Amino acid sequence: MAQKRRAESPTRHPLIEKVLASRPAVAELIGFNVEEISDGHAVGSLQAGPQHANPMGTMHGGVLCDLADAAMGMAFASTLAPSESFTTTSLSINFFRPVWQPRLRAEAHVVSRGKNLGYVECDVADQDGTQVPKASCSCFVLRGEHAKQR
């Protein structure tokens, strides 16, 4: 199945180019796709299966966190200049209900983007549009030598 991937910004960050060119290792491991990346917005998806279950048989919270984290990271990366990078300084997720093997859609958007800090939120919903968790993160913008190391 062909993966739908696009970035709408005319000057895309090298990190976005990298994600669009090949599936990141963590996406391959977990099984999610980053489907859309545009200015301050990103969408990821995952078809959950038995490989994502915790010992109780419901979807493991860490997998939900990985999906949300990837969408938030790409949303924030779409706001960076080519010479910038970033690191996550905090990550929070609130789980609202258990799920078993749904089709999930993670939609992230940058709420605040300052010179040095940003705040991003992500809603993850199942195939029926029911919200499963909500995640948020804070990001610190890296420049100069710090950005080159990433």
Side-chain angles (χ1 to χ4, degrees):
M1 180 171 102
Q3 294 177 19
K4 178 184 167 191
R5 296 183 182 179
R6 65 184 170 95
E8 296 177 4
S9 175
T11 306
R12 295 187 289 207
H13 190 274
L15 179 59
I16 294 173
E17 292 292 343
K18 187 176 181 180
V19 168
L20 295 174
S22 67
R23 196 171 181 186
V26 69
E28 193 70 40
L29 177 68
I30 303 293
F32 64 78
N33 295 309
V34 176
E35 298 180 351
E36 299 178 30
I37 306 169
S38 60
D39 292 330
H41 180 258
V43 175
S45 67
L46 169 72
Q47 175 58 61
Q51 71 274 24
H52 300 114
N54 63 26
M56 295 175 291
T58 59
M59 187 170 197
H60 190 280
V63 175
L64 287 164
C65 194
D66 280 335
L67 174 61
D69 182 47
M72 291 187 294
M74 288 299 93
F76 194 74
S78 73
T79 71
L80 298 174
S83 62
E84 296 175 325
S85 185
F86 76 100
T87 190
T88 300
T89 58
S90 70
L91 176 64
S92 176
I93 189 165
N94 292 298
F95 302 102
F96 303 132
R97 60 190 35 82
V99 291
W100 286 261
Q101 294 184 25
R103 175 88 179 149
L104 296 170
R105 182 176 194 271
E107 187 163 356
H109 66 281
V110 176
V111 174
S112 177
R113 170 62 158 93
K115 180 180 176 186
N116 296 311
L117 294 173
Y119 177 77
V120 187
E121 292 182 343
C122 181
D123 295 312
V124 181
D126 66 14
Q127 67 274 354
D128 299 324
T130 303
Q131 190 172 19
V132 180
K134 182 173 189 84
S136 63
C137 71
S138 296
C139 303
F140 183 75
V141 178
L142 301 171
R143 293 181 188 82
E145 291 301 311
H146 298 291
K148 292 177 185 175
Q149 295 173 6
R150 299 187 65 81

